[in-house]
Amino acid sequence: MMATNSNVPAAEPGVFGPRRRGTTNGRAPRLVDAQELWDIDDVASYLGVTKQTIYSWRTSGYGPAGFRVGKHLRWRAATVINWTVRLEENQ
């Protein structure tokens, strides 16, 4: 039987988001808040596609639903992640 250390908090399940620009260690995933707003770079990074692909999907009605904040496109992290989960479930 394995001993546990009660002083160490248990790992909480989480959702990993895109790598942030400007970080020195781009390989480490980061936990995201579901209400966090992502820009097109974040969405493209998370999905592993180019920004142009995201723009093309938007004009054709495909992809996760985004919205405008002024002139800027934004996506809720939860929306993008749920969209990928639904894609996986439908296969």
Side-chain angles (χ1 to χ4, degrees):
M1 187 171 177
M2 191 164 155
T4 60
N5 183 347
S6 61
N7 294 330
V8 178
E12 295 179 15
V15 177
F16 293 99
R19 297 183 188 122
R20 282 298 203 195
R21 297 176 301 275
T23 58
T24 56
N25 185 0
R27 295 182 185 257
R30 64 182 189 84
L31 291 175
V32 297
D33 176 6
Q35 294 303 310
E36 182 176 336
L37 292 180
W38 286 355
D39 63 14
I40 193 159
D41 292 313
D42 295 327
V43 175
S45 174
Y46 180 79
L47 296 176
V49 298
T50 64
K51 291 191 309 185
Q52 185 56 48
T53 298
I54 303 297
Y55 287 127
S56 295
W57 285 353
R58 269 186 65 78
T59 60
S60 67
Y62 184 73
F67 57 95
R68 289 203 172 271
V69 178
K71 67 178 184 176
H72 305 283
L73 282 172
R74 295 292 182 259
W75 289 259
R76 291 228 180 264
T79 302
V80 178
I81 294 164
N82 288 334
W83 181 77
T84 60
V85 169
R86 285 193 310 274
L87 281 178
E88 184 179 16
E89 290 171 348
N90 291 332
Q91 288 188 0

